[in-house]
Amino acid sequence: MKFPFTRKALIPAVVSAMLLPMSLSAVAGDHPQHHGSWQEKRTELFDRADIDVDQREQLDQARTEYQQALEELSADYAQQRQDILGEDGIAALKQAIHDIREERITTLMDEWQLSDEDRASLQQTREDFRSNMKSLADQQFDSDEDRHQAWKELHTNTHDSLAEVLSEEQIQELTHALMPRGPRFGGDHDMNEADPSS
């Protein structure tokens, strides 16, 4: 893929961020859930490592540029996929992924010999999760910490609902069965989501 100059200029930031140790990158706050209490842990880590204010600012800037570059690359890929497959191809691909996912679920429920009532309960849990997930995605939060807490509560509640029907081992097996296999298609949350409730 050929990038315009401005896009090329972002690539060094991507490479630099990827070279950071994974644990350091996580503590530095690559994801919203690392704010709040994670900010305190990050500060403690940087204090222990004698990382000065200027270095911390440079790390923050590198992370910001890295995230921006990823967003642009993701948008490029989404457009390429759209150009290659078209609307019908994208729809067919999503449907195929959905069908495979449902077949995996049915196979597991058959193996576990779940009753019709338990199957219906699992289906309701999945539907509730999708509905609540969409609501959270559309919701405005006062802070990243509030957003993280809301998502954490959703996953906890979903897990609790699954646990009313399945054992922990079965929940893990279900999660594994629904994880994307092969190349990830990127750009579509429902095509990449590996949560057992999806």
Side-chain angles (χ1 to χ4, degrees):
M1 177 192 313
K2 293 184 178 180
F3 298 98
F5 174 77
T6 54
R7 192 70 50 80
K8 285 182 178 179
L10 292 173
I11 301 303
V14 176
V15 176
S16 296
M18 291 177 66
L19 291 176
L20 290 174
M22 184 174 296
S23 58
L24 177 60
S25 179
V27 176
D30 283 347
H31 304 286
Q33 63 264 33
H34 294 302
H35 289 272
S37 61
W38 269 99
Q39 288 282 15
E40 298 174 4
K41 294 180 180 180
R42 183 184 78 159
T43 299
E44 179 183 0
L45 175 64
F46 287 169
D47 287 345
R48 286 176 179 245
D50 291 328
I51 297 176
D52 61 36
V53 173
D54 183 58
Q55 290 174 318
R56 298 181 197 200
E57 291 178 352
Q58 290 182 47
L59 285 174
D60 286 340
Q61 180 62 31
R63 173 168 48 85
T64 297
E65 293 176 359
Y66 166 64
Q67 291 171 335
Q68 291 174 344
L70 284 183
E71 290 175 3
E72 294 195 19
L73 290 171
S74 178
D76 280 344
Y77 177 55
Q79 184 59 54
Q80 283 192 333
R81 190 184 58 197
Q82 179 71 32
D83 294 342
I84 294 169
L85 298 177
E87 292 292 342
D88 291 343
I90 294 289
L93 185 57
K94 287 184 178 181
Q95 185 61 50
I97 292 172
H98 171 78
D99 292 345
I100 291 172
R101 176 174 289 154
E102 294 305 311
E103 289 171 6
R104 291 176 186 165
I105 293 174
T106 299
T107 297
L108 284 176
M109 290 192 296
D110 289 344
E111 290 178 358
W112 296 332
Q113 299 181 338
L114 296 184
S115 66
D116 291 341
E117 181 180 358
D118 285 344
R119 292 176 189 236
S121 177
L122 286 180
Q123 182 61 26
Q124 187 61 53
T125 297
R126 296 175 65 215
E127 291 175 1
D128 290 345
F129 178 84
R130 283 194 292 264
S131 176
N132 292 329
M133 184 175 65
K134 185 179 185 305
S135 295
L136 285 182
D138 295 336
Q139 185 175 339
Q140 296 294 322
F141 292 91
D142 292 334
S143 67
D144 287 332
E145 183 66 23
D146 288 343
R147 178 185 295 108
H148 169 53
Q149 186 60 36
W151 281 99
K152 182 179 179 180
E153 289 178 3
L154 173 58
H155 280 273
T156 298
N157 292 338
T158 300
H159 179 273
D160 291 345
S161 294
L162 291 174
E164 293 179 3
V165 177
L166 304 176
S167 67
E168 286 297 324
E169 182 179 352
Q170 288 172 327
I171 291 175
Q172 291 301 316
E173 192 173 355
L174 181 62
T175 301
H176 177 73
L178 293 176
M179 294 180 76
R181 299 175 182 178
R184 292 167 67 92
F185 297 98
D188 290 292
H189 180 77
D190 59 337
M191 297 171 73
N192 289 334
E193 181 59 51
D195 192 281
S197 305
S198 299

